[in-house]
């Protein structure tokens, strides 16, 4: 039985900062961002968006299409949790009016957790083939103002429906995975911005890739030339390019610049203009590939590398299914990305510093441009959400 991705919906905030604006504010050459790290824009959530509203807005098109009816497992992957006890997924479950016969839990392991979610969901569907699982990756990537990581910030969410006989991608059973206790990136509970050893993190990302690949290659007998495209975890687009170059060198596969572009470029387009969205980043890459690629990818194998600092890496793969184009949300994604509002530097800094109040008081948040749901305030220590769906 084939099991894999049946639907894939991406959502990000309606506001962004052009990295030219950030470069001017930081007295840095714009090309350091545009060329050096390969990023042009970073998506910034308004004060009335959080991982719940981003997630609910990503999953809303699935609800509207009637695709959530058989979902009995909701896995919410995030490292931007809003509560130490209650899963953010339960708020989403409520906003989307899902059936109460559903398991719901939050998963955390930096940017890796959505892939753990997909693999757990595959196990669930193998045992319950008529049922579906919804994996939602949702994060807000925040680094300190003026820090090297600042230009890689972003936010976004991807809702991934996992089922038997999937209409988009059948996931192959073999995977290579690698865990090691390292401190390349982390966020203690008392901080709202991540701490990171930037250069070291890029080395660990690649080390975990090479180790995961070795296992995958041994299990499958495949080589890098057996793939039509690759999707990498994308903290910034240059990282994915460097990782693939390194893997090619390690495995003695020659790729010139044109071949590299053909293998990776389509998967990097959305991240280049939205930034890192942690748990969802690799799936934003997959969405970008499927939406952007002019060639029919049906029957083609895509290599997938997921990485979460701390660290866990996993290399796995999937085969694109015939007719996949008819179930994509490409028009909605393009429409969202083309109709965002640019922030000035001052607006960005004001939003950054606004944060979510932590004094235990009651608040009503002003309304900004959001998707189908908004974080409207806090009352008696409880977050309040509003549905804008008519
Ligand atoms: P930096 O140290 O300020 O940048 O920040 P740099 O000085 O190394 O410059 C970056 C590149 O731009 C260099 O190219 C420069 O040469 C080039 P490279 O040597 O790497 O090829 N450059 C220019 N190019 C053209 N024109 C110019 C110019 N100036 C410089 N004028 C760093 C880089 C990655 C450290 C920073 O962005 C950072 O700390 N990022 C956050 C950490 C990160 O993203 N790590 C990635 C791997 S870990 C991961 O992916 C997990 C993560 O998603 C978290 C999770 O799992 O939850 C982060």
């Amino acid at each position: 039985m084939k099991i894999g991705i049946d639907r894939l919906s991406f959502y990000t905030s309606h506001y962004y900062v052009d990295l030219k604006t950030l470069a001017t504010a930081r007295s840095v050459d714009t090309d350091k961002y545009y060329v050096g790290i390969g990023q042009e824009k970073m998506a910034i959530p308004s004060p009335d968006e959080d991982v719940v509203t981003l997630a609910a807005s990503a999953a809303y098109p699935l609800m509207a299409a009637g695709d959530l009816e058989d979902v009995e497992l909701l896995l919410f992957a995030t490292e931007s949790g809003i509560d130490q006890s209650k899963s953010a997924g339960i708020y989403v479950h409520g906003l989307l009016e899902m059936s109460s016969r559903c398991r719901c839990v939050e998963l955390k392991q930096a940017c890796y957790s959505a892939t753990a979610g997909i693999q757990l969901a595959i196990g669930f569907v193998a045992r319950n083939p008529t049922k579906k699982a919804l994996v939602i990756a949702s994060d807000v990537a925040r680094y300190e103002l003026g820090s090297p990581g600042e230009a890689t910030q972003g936010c976004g969410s991807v809702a991934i429906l996992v089922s038997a006989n999937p209409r988009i991608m059948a996931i192959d059973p073999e995977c290579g995975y690698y865990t090691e206790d390292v401190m390349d990136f982390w966020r203690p509970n008392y901080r709202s911005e991540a701490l990171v050893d930037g250069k070291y993190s890029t080395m660990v990302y690649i080390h975990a890739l090479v180790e995961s690949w070795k296992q995958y290659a041994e299990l499958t007998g495949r080589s890098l030339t057996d793939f039509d495209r690759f999707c990498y975890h994308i903290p910034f687009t240059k990282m994915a390019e460097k990782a693939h170059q390194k893997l090619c060198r390690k495995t003695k596969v020659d790729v010139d610049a044109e071949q590299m572009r053909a293998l990776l470029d389509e998967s990097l387009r959305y991240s280049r203009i939205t930034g890192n969205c942690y748990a969802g980043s690799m799936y934003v890459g997959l969405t970008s590939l499927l939406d952007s690629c002019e060639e029919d990818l049906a029957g083609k194998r895509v290599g997938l590398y997921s990485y979460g600092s701390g660290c866990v890496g996993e290399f796995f793969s999937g085969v694109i299914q015939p007719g996949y184009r008819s179930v994509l949300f490409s028009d909605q994604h393009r429409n969202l990305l083309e109709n965002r509002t640019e922030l000035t530097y001052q607006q960005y800094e004001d939003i950054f510093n606004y944060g979510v109040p932590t004094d235990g008081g009651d608040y009503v948040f002003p309304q900004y441009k959001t998707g189908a749901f908004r974080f409207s305030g806090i009352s008696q220590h409880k977050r309040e959400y509003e549905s804008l769906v008519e």
Side-chain angles (χ1 to χ4, degrees):
M1 178 175 58
K2 287 182 188 171
I3 305 178
I5 299 176
D6 189 59
R7 297 218 85 170
L8 193 60
S9 170
F10 164 59
Y11 176 79
T12 185
S13 100
H14 287 262
Y15 299 93
Y16 72 90
V17 174
D18 195 302
L19 292 185
K20 276 185 197 144
T21 306
L22 187 69
T24 306
R26 300 285 172 254
S27 307
V28 165
D29 183 354
T30 301
D31 276 352
K32 174 171 176 182
Y33 299 151
Y34 270 47
V35 181
I37 61 168
Q39 290 300 122
E40 282 177 30
K41 292 173 183 166
M42 52 186 191
I44 303 295
S46 61
D48 59 345
E49 286 269 33
D50 68 1
V51 287
V52 169
T53 63
L54 292 167
S57 295
Y60 178 68
L62 277 63
M63 175 201 173
D67 282 325
L68 300 184
E69 277 157 27
D70 293 319
V71 170
E72 291 197 1
L73 177 66
L74 196 172
L75 298 172
F76 194 103
T78 189
E79 56 180 298
S80 324
I82 53 158
D83 194 286
Q84 291 284 18
S85 296
K86 179 167 171 167
S87 163
I90 294 188
Y91 293 97
V92 175
H93 178 276
L95 289 169
L96 298 180
E97 297 171 6
M98 292 172 69
S99 161
S100 55
R101 185 176 158 77
C102 185
R103 294 185 179 121
C104 182
V105 72
E106 187 167 307
L107 303 173
K108 175 173 68 188
Q109 180 16 64
C111 301
Y112 168 72
S113 57
T115 296
I118 299 278
Q119 298 296 2
L120 294 171
I122 288 173
F124 168 80
V125 172
R127 189 146 189 178
N128 305 277
T130 60
K131 301 299 171 194
K132 295 175 185 168
L134 178 63
V135 179
I136 311 183
S138 190
D139 267 312
V140 176
R142 265 173 78 92
Y143 296 90
E144 277 179 5
L145 294 176
S147 69
E150 184 183 23
T152 69
Q153 293 177 121
C155 69
S157 181
V158 187
I160 307 153
L161 191 67
V162 176
S163 75
N165 305 315
R167 289 173 287 176
I168 294 181
M169 176 187 262
I171 306 275
D172 293 320
E174 306 87 355
C175 328
Y177 32 88
Y178 177 84
T179 290
E180 188 183 346
D181 183 2
V182 290
M183 293 302 280
D184 59 331
F185 167 109
W186 67 105
R187 184 167 68 81
N189 284 346
Y190 52 83
R191 289 180 60 98
S192 58
E193 291 86 41
L195 293 165
V196 61
D197 188 342
K199 299 279 180 214
Y200 177 55
S201 72
T202 62
M203 286 156 53
V204 186
Y205 174 116
I206 287 175
H207 179 69
L209 166 65
V210 172
E211 293 301 316
S212 307
W213 166 259
K214 271 192 219 156
Q215 291 175 23
Y216 176 92
E218 209 172 295
L219 288 167
T220 59
R222 292 188 191 114
S223 91
L224 290 182
T225 52
D226 292 322
F227 298 87
D228 294 278
R229 297 289 189 285
F230 290 88
C231 292
Y232 282 84
H233 168 55
I234 312 169
F236 48 93
T237 64
K238 216 26 175 306
M239 182 75 240
E241 290 170 359
K242 283 191 169 182
H244 193 64
Q245 274 159 358
K246 187 77 181 194
L247 193 58
C248 289
R249 274 203 299 279
K250 280 264 175 203
T251 54
K252 301 189 171 44
V253 169
D254 286 332
V255 275
D256 60 27
E258 201 178 317
Q259 288 165 322
M260 272 288 290
R261 268 197 297 280
L263 291 168
L264 291 187
D265 250 26
E266 294 131 338
S267 72
L268 304 179
R269 289 182 193 169
Y270 287 178
S271 294
R272 195 174 167 86
I273 55 168
T274 54
N276 195 353
C277 69
Y278 290 160
S281 282
M282 193 196 76
Y283 299 93
V284 175
L286 179 59
T287 312
S288 176
L289 165 64
L290 296 170
D291 287 354
S292 318
C293 185
E294 285 174 16
E295 183 191 340
D296 184 1
L297 291 172
K300 310 275 186 194
R301 178 164 274 115
V302 179
L304 304 159
Y305 176 62
S306 181
Y307 175 76
S309 285
C311 73
V312 182
E314 177 157 343
F315 192 97
F316 63 116
S317 57
V319 177
I320 307 293
Q321 298 301 293
Y324 71 98
R325 280 186 166 138
S326 66
V327 289
L328 298 178
F329 293 108
S330 313
D331 290 344
Q332 282 101 311
H333 299 150
R334 276 190 217 108
N335 192 35
L336 169 64
L337 292 169
E338 283 167 9
N339 290 293
R340 294 180 295 164
T341 302
E342 182 174 354
L343 298 174
T344 63
Y345 178 77
Q346 196 51 52
Q347 287 170 326
Y348 154 62
E349 201 175 291
D350 290 346
I351 290 178
F352 186 96
N353 289 327
Y354 187 80
V356 175
T358 53
D359 61 2
D362 289 356
Y363 291 89
V364 175
F365 298 147
Q367 183 157 1
Y368 289 77
K369 214 170 156 199
T370 61
F373 305 94
R374 63 181 291 268
F375 175 25
S376 55
I378 303 176
S379 170
Q380 298 182 341
H381 302 281
K382 296 172 195 155
R383 287 191 177 226
E384 296 191 328
Y385 294 98
E386 188 184 345
S387 170
L388 306 173
V389 178
E390 305 194 338

